Amino acid sequence: MKKNPLILGIETSCDETAASIIQQEKNGVKILSNVVSSQTDVHKKFGGVVPELAARSHLEKIDLIVKKAIKDSGVEIKNIDAIASTGGPGLVVCLSVGLNFGKAFAASLNKPFIAINHLEGHALSPMLNSKIKFPYLLLLISGGHSQFLSVEGLGKYKRLGTTIDDAVGEAFDKTAKLLGIEFPGGAQIEKYAEKGDLNRFILPKPIINRGGCNLSFAGLKTAVLKISKNLKSKKDKYDLAASFQNTIEEILSHKSKVAFNEFKKRNKNKSNIFVIAGGVASNKKIRIKLKELSLKEKFQPIFPPIDLCSDNAAMIAMAGLEKYKKKKFDSLNFAVNPRWQLDEKANFMKGAGVKL
Ligand code: KG4
Ligand code: ZN
């Protein structure tokens, strides 16, 4: 392997067009550029991501974003050692843009191409600024996923628990919509919550005392929907946001404690590292709560920096770098995999009839 490999990462799985160049250095990884272009303006009038519009926007921007990432990094194209693009999971029409761009770029430079699981990008994102060793416990909380995983090596994941219905980020976004906040409103809920009374509304915590560290948020969403119909003032909205935020904190703390025990048992107490990643991990109060819990339970909490919690290409380049070191390259025939799981042996756990 070359001494200080340079990896170009490309991400287009949902509504962010992103490219980044990172380099392995002696004492860690350096992010040389990290360009993220969000499509919030394209989708906000629809209240959610419209796949065809997202794909069109990726197509319009991908060339510029990759060029900017290369320019910002100051490296010469010919010195890039491998190209890593997100291959799944995500929206098929969106994934295709970044994956095909990456393949064409790799072919034209005659450099290795690496397909990345977007969730593996989130899982390894703390390696961009911390030195961590496998195994570790991961809580992945984003707009599309909510899972506890035992991360046991590159590509080696054991799912300990997952949501049986909505993802945490989805619950934040839906609550925001009910409070009249523009999509995507997750981050705004945190601001509303700061001004409200967290004890004003008692909200349900579905499957809190059963189902191991599996999660469920559908019942909470229904309760928020019912209350939201009778809100009169701004203060009412702040109170509902605060009660919602507090309920999420309590669910995540309680289930993390269950996951700690399952992780310790599985890994025979060999590690006490707890990584919290994904868009919702940028929520400051969730960070504080999970930090407090970890210290009490003798776990070491690790969060990526806030700007690397939400979708970005530096995390895709990071997963690419780890695969590059192990020469795990992919062929240019690699097909988009919109349902790519980290733990491919885990049971399907969504919808009515799920046994817990
Ligand atoms: O990881 P991410 O950027 O995309 C996915 O892979 O899904 O996560 C986006 C999700 C959205 O649901 C967004 O509302 C939520 O993360 N989010 C937050 C905050 N910032 C982003 N949720 C709660 N509090 C925040 N501060
Ligand atoms: Zn993501």
Side-chain angles (χ1 to χ4, degrees):
M1 189 190 74
K2 208 181 113 185
K3 211 165 158 220
N4 293 320
L6 274 164
I7 310 291
L8 165 65
I10 299 174
E11 155 65 33
T12 62
S13 65
C14 190
D15 59 343
E16 258 92 32
T17 317
S20 164
I21 294 195
I22 66 164
Q23 182 162 35
Q24 177 70 58
E25 294 193 333
K26 210 166 133 207
N27 295 318
V29 177
K30 189 159 183 198
I31 301 175
L32 302 180
S33 63
N34 187 18
V35 186
V36 182
S37 169
S38 178
Q39 306 173 356
T40 312
D41 287 345
V42 177
H43 305 289
K44 75 178 169 202
K45 54 181 172 291
F46 302 100
V49 177
V50 184
E52 278 68 26
L53 295 182
R56 181 188 294 205
S57 178
H58 287 309
L59 273 173
E60 283 166 4
K61 284 191 274 185
I62 186 81
D63 194 35
L64 274 175
I65 298 295
V66 173
K67 270 191 191 141
K68 180 159 169 46
I70 294 169
K71 187 161 178 266
D72 288 358
S73 73
V75 305
E76 282 187 57
I77 290 185
K78 67 172 176 15
N79 292 331
I80 294 172
D81 294 292
I83 289 90
S85 289
T86 306
L91 298 165
V92 74
V93 283
C94 296
L95 288 163
S96 303
V97 178
L99 193 76
N100 289 330
F101 192 94
K103 284 180 190 174
F105 207 82
S108 69
L109 292 177
N110 200 20
K111 295 288 164 82
F113 170 73
I114 307 170
I116 302 296
N117 182 316
H118 177 87
L119 306 178
E120 185 152 51
H122 279 301
L124 304 187
S125 59
M127 291 184 177
L128 286 161
N129 73 326
S130 328
K131 277 197 176 142
I132 47 174
K133 279 199 199 133
F134 301 118
Y136 55 85
L137 174 66
L138 169 70
L139 170 60
L140 174 59
I141 35 179
S142 70
H145 300 269
S146 300
Q147 308 182 359
F148 286 101
L149 293 140
S150 171
V151 182
E152 296 168 4
L154 185 65
K156 286 191 193 135
Y157 295 88
K158 168 71 185 164
R159 197 185 71 195
L160 304 177
T162 185
T163 176
I164 59 166
D165 39 58
D166 295 346
V168 193
E170 219 176 326
F172 265 96
D173 292 338
K174 283 178 182 164
T175 299
K177 202 170 173 182
L178 292 169
L179 295 184
I181 301 168
E182 257 182 4
F183 174 83
Q188 278 296 105
I189 289 286
E190 193 182 354
K191 301 217 167 72
Y192 271 43
E194 281 165 15
K195 301 180 206 159
D197 171 6
L198 57 87
N199 295 312
R200 166 93 183 272
F201 300 104
I202 309 292
L203 297 170
K205 296 173 203 146
I207 67 166
I208 193 80
N209 289 318
R210 65 192 175 96
C213 58
N214 286 304
L215 300 154
S216 168
F217 299 101
L220 171 58
K221 181 183 69 186
T222 310
V224 169
L225 170 69
K226 277 194 197 141
I227 296 170
S228 70
K229 289 184 177 149
N230 299 312
L231 300 182
K232 306 242 164 12
S233 64
K234 200 91 186 173
K235 160 99 174 61
D236 290 342
K237 291 188 177 182
Y238 294 152
D239 289 348
L240 184 53
S243 304
F244 170 82
Q245 159 91 35
N246 183 56
T247 306
I248 294 280
E249 287 164 21
E250 287 181 0
I251 295 172
L252 293 179
S253 295
H254 188 93
K255 291 290 185 174
S256 296
K257 208 170 153 183
V258 177
F260 287 170
N261 285 328
E262 290 192 21
F263 176 77
K264 279 196 290 193
K265 227 186 283 166
R266 186 175 164 81
N267 291 288
K268 303 187 178 62
N269 292 314
K270 269 190 283 185
S271 157
N272 66 345
I273 296 171
F274 181 35
V275 168
I276 303 98
V280 183
S282 48
N283 186 295
K284 292 191 199 73
K285 277 222 42 226
I286 290 178
R287 289 168 93 97
I288 292 170
K289 272 284 157 74
L290 294 179
K291 205 179 260 176
E292 281 170 5
L293 172 83
S294 304
L295 299 179
K296 204 165 131 220
E297 299 293 323
K298 306 206 164 31
F299 264 74
Q300 184 194 339
I302 296 183
F303 298 87
I306 289 192
D307 60 328
L308 296 177
C309 285
S310 291
D311 288 350
N312 64 83
M315 68 182 196
I316 302 303
M318 184 66 236
L321 175 62
E322 290 304 301
K323 284 182 138 186
Y324 177 85
K325 289 181 196 165
K326 298 202 153 177
K327 294 199 168 59
K328 289 190 171 205
F329 305 142
D330 291 287
S331 109
L332 296 180
N333 290 327
F334 186 96
V336 166
N337 189 350
R339 291 183 177 273
W340 195 355
Q341 291 299 312
L342 279 180
D343 177 358
E344 283 169 342
K345 291 196 192 121
N347 292 333
F348 187 68
M349 285 284 275
K350 277 214 163 157
V354 166
K355 287 202 176 68
L356 292 172

